[in-house]
Amino acid sequence: MAETQLFETPTKRTVLDNGIRVVTERVPYVRSVAAGVWVQSGSSNETEETNGIAHFLEHMLFKGTRTRSAMDLANSLESLGGHLNGSTGREVSMYSAYILNEHVDTALEVLADLTQNPRFKASDIDVEKQVVLSELMRSLEDPEELAFDYFYQYVYHNHPLGYLILGTPDNIRSFQQQDLTNFHSLHYSPNRMVVAAAGNIEHDTIVKHVERLFRTDPRVEPGKTGPIQAPVDQKIINMKNLQQAHILLGYQTFGLADERRYALALLDVMLGSGMSSRLFQNIREAYGFTYNVFSFLDLMRDTGVFGAYAASEPDKVDRTVGLLQREIDRIKKGDIGQKELDKVKSQVRGSLVLSFESTGRRMKKIGESEIYQRPHQTIQQVLDRVKKVKIEDMVNAANHVFQDQNKCLTVLTPE
């Protein structure tokens, strides 16, 4: 195995012989540890027939392993004051444990068992189908969440990135033990895993635990998905039982590897983060068209989405969309002052520094960087990079991204 001390960063990284990457960040002044297993497995790895299986598999891992029941897994860390959790996204699934540092060996042992040794018992599958179907039905009753689901379908139409993470009812009902076994074997191989830990730990100790607990399986490289197409430019969806219209105006953008992501992140804060943002002040406060309005930036491996959301009265949709577009056009024309940019940078600095007082946030930072094969940076290095962003960088990024061929407008409105 090859070990490196990453240049000018407290993050240490080791690649084991089986392909698992171990990254750690020592925080000596805390008593806690956040540990996570990151897996290159998400809805983008699915087909139309298997859509939803990555998320369903995540649920099934918590139903028991070959040596632990679901109750054993629940008690394993809760009995020690910690907790265990999982999540599934479009490109990555992550299993996390939060625990006192004296119990980190237990946390890693549970995470290894959870992700490597599922039992996929037929009776458990039948029960969990009802749970996931209930989760899906709940999401379909949340108009904001539903609007985002439709929006991603149209931004990434005819591509797995546009699939519903939860899947479809018919698919969920159809999943069987062999489907789960096949998907797990294909996507949960060691070379597609990262073990990340942050807290009061020693890197070498974590590496020894991972070497002992994670087995050597054949390396697997699933096939790549097809090319991403331009978004559907506009989609109006009429639905019953809605009181408001839910508006999403967004653009396909570049992925995490692009250095312009720093400029785009500042644009996101400037446009729609908090009560002092442009969208809040210039739409909600100035016109009262909407109670909830914000922007968002979702960057993935090779692509991403920059967008804005607003909920308005149905008869205010056109004017609200016009106001959203106006704010985007202002930025494209260079309507950004140095004082405003300095305020946004200060906002980002405070938010970033405060968030990294959490071992969980630190673990997520190093885990995400490693699973996406991005350079590890200290907080100060990130802040230095943000500090260097100029107005012209933001304008150039805006003009690159905010183009009609990248745009998608999705509106859910009452019938």
Side-chain angles (χ1 to χ4, degrees):
M1 62 185 179
E3 181 177 327
T4 56
Q5 170 72 53
L6 297 177
F7 182 65
E8 293 183 350
T9 152
T11 306
K12 287 187 175 183
R13 176 179 185 268
T14 297
V15 182
L16 302 184
D17 293 337
N18 63 0
I20 288 182
R21 290 164 281 160
V22 182
V23 288
T24 68
E25 187 169 296
R26 177 167 166 75
V27 187
Y29 51 82
V30 299
R31 292 286 308 278
S32 64
V33 174
V37 176
W38 297 69
V39 187
Q40 290 174 235
S41 170
S43 55
S44 63
N45 300 114
E46 300 167 349
T47 64
E48 286 188 23
E49 293 73 26
T50 63
N51 177 215
I53 197 168
H55 173 259
F56 190 78
L57 188 146
E58 174 221 318
H59 272 246
M60 286 305 304
L61 294 187
F62 286 89
K63 295 298 287 185
T65 70
R66 294 166 195 162
T67 58
R68 286 183 171 90
S69 67
M71 180 59 78
D72 291 335
L73 287 171
N75 281 331
S76 61
L77 300 188
E78 288 185 6
S79 64
L80 302 173
H83 64 273
L84 191 64
N85 205 353
S87 62
T88 303
R90 300 184 190 279
E91 296 185 312
V92 173
S93 295
M94 195 267 282
Y95 303 88
S96 59
Y98 298 90
I99 199 73
L100 292 174
N101 64 307
E102 63 200 70
H103 300 305
V104 68
D105 54 340
T106 301
L108 290 171
E109 200 276 324
V110 171
L111 287 170
D113 192 28
L114 178 80
T115 54
Q116 292 185 118
N117 304 311
R119 63 183 179 184
F120 297 144
K121 189 177 176 182
S123 59
D124 290 338
I125 293 173
D126 291 338
V127 170
E128 204 61 23
K129 285 179 181 180
Q130 303 310 309
V131 174
V132 176
L133 285 168
S134 177
E135 182 181 2
L136 177 60
M137 293 304 106
R138 181 183 60 81
S139 73
L140 296 177
E141 293 177 353
D142 182 335
E144 181 177 326
E145 187 172 346
L146 187 59
F148 270 89
D149 286 339
Y150 276 115
F151 173 73
Y152 272 88
Q153 288 182 47
Y154 299 128
V155 171
Y156 294 112
H157 69 112
N158 298 326
H159 192 279
L161 284 172
Y163 291 166
L164 294 173
I165 293 173
L166 297 183
T168 67
D170 287 345
N171 282 0
I172 293 166
R173 293 187 185 100
S174 73
F175 294 146
Q176 302 299 324
Q177 185 181 59
Q178 193 59 52
D179 301 318
L180 294 166
T181 299
N182 291 344
F183 193 87
H184 185 269
S185 297
L186 186 60
H187 297 286
Y188 280 65
S189 61
N191 61 302
R192 295 174 62 79
M193 286 184 173
V194 168
V195 177
N200 196 343
I201 50 172
E202 296 291 343
H203 180 75
D204 291 345
T205 301
I206 300 298
V207 168
K208 288 177 181 177
H209 285 314
V210 175
E211 280 185 309
R212 174 176 58 86
L213 295 168
F214 285 80
R215 61 179 181 265
T216 301
D217 286 348
R219 295 178 181 238
V220 177
E221 291 297 344
K224 295 184 178 180
T225 57
I228 295 171
Q229 303 174 27
V232 174
D233 61 347
Q234 182 171 310
K235 198 71 176 181
I236 310 298
I237 302 150
N238 296 303
M239 296 190 69
K240 295 179 180 180
N241 302 319
L242 289 182
Q243 301 300 315
Q244 287 187 305
H246 299 264
I247 304 162
L248 278 153
L249 174 64
Y251 298 81
Q252 270 188 24
T253 183
F254 41 73
L256 282 164
D258 199 301
E259 284 296 301
R260 291 172 293 182
R261 68 186 184 276
Y262 295 102
L264 216 56
L266 290 176
L267 283 175
D268 178 33
V269 175
M270 178 180 292
L271 263 177
S273 179
M275 293 188 295
S276 62
S277 68
R278 289 187 176 194
L279 296 183
F280 192 97
Q281 289 297 317
N282 298 339
I283 297 179
R284 171 175 158 155
E285 294 296 278
Y287 294 91
F289 285 174
T290 179
Y291 172 76
N292 195 13
V293 60
F294 58 86
S295 64
F296 60 94
L297 178 62
D298 180 12
L299 295 183
M300 293 171 274
R301 187 177 300 277
D302 300 313
T303 184
V305 179
F306 187 108
Y309 166 86
S312 76
E313 295 300 316
D315 61 351
K316 302 290 196 306
V317 168
D318 290 343
R319 295 178 69 186
T320 302
V321 171
L323 291 171
L324 291 172
Q325 190 67 61
R326 184 187 71 177
E327 294 305 320
I328 289 170
D329 291 340
R330 283 179 59 199
I331 290 173
K332 289 176 66 176
K333 293 174 183 176
D335 185 6
I336 302 173
Q338 188 61 49
K339 184 177 180 180
E340 183 181 23
L341 176 55
D342 290 342
K343 186 212 78 166
V344 168
K345 287 182 178 180
S346 178
Q347 188 176 346
V348 169
R349 181 182 184 279
S351 177
L352 188 62
V353 171
L354 288 173
S355 72
F356 276 85
E357 293 191 356
S358 158
T359 55
R361 185 64 187 86
R362 286 174 178 262
M363 183 274 286
K364 290 179 180 178
K365 170 182 172 290
I366 62 176
E368 183 178 80
S369 294
E370 188 62 40
I371 200 74
Y372 282 111
Q373 298 178 311
R374 304 303 312 140
H376 292 274
Q377 300 182 84
T378 62
I379 299 173
Q380 189 57 54
Q381 286 171 323
V382 174
L383 291 173
D384 289 344
R385 186 63 189 81
V386 168
K387 188 176 181 180
K388 292 178 181 178
V389 175
K390 300 176 182 178
I391 291 175
E392 63 189 74
D393 299 323
M394 299 173 73
V395 175
N396 289 338
N399 278 282
H400 174 81
V401 171
F402 302 147
Q403 296 291 329
D404 287 345
Q405 66 266 25
N406 300 330
K407 185 166 75 172
C408 177
L409 172 65
T410 302
V411 180
L412 257 64
T413 188
E415 288 186 340

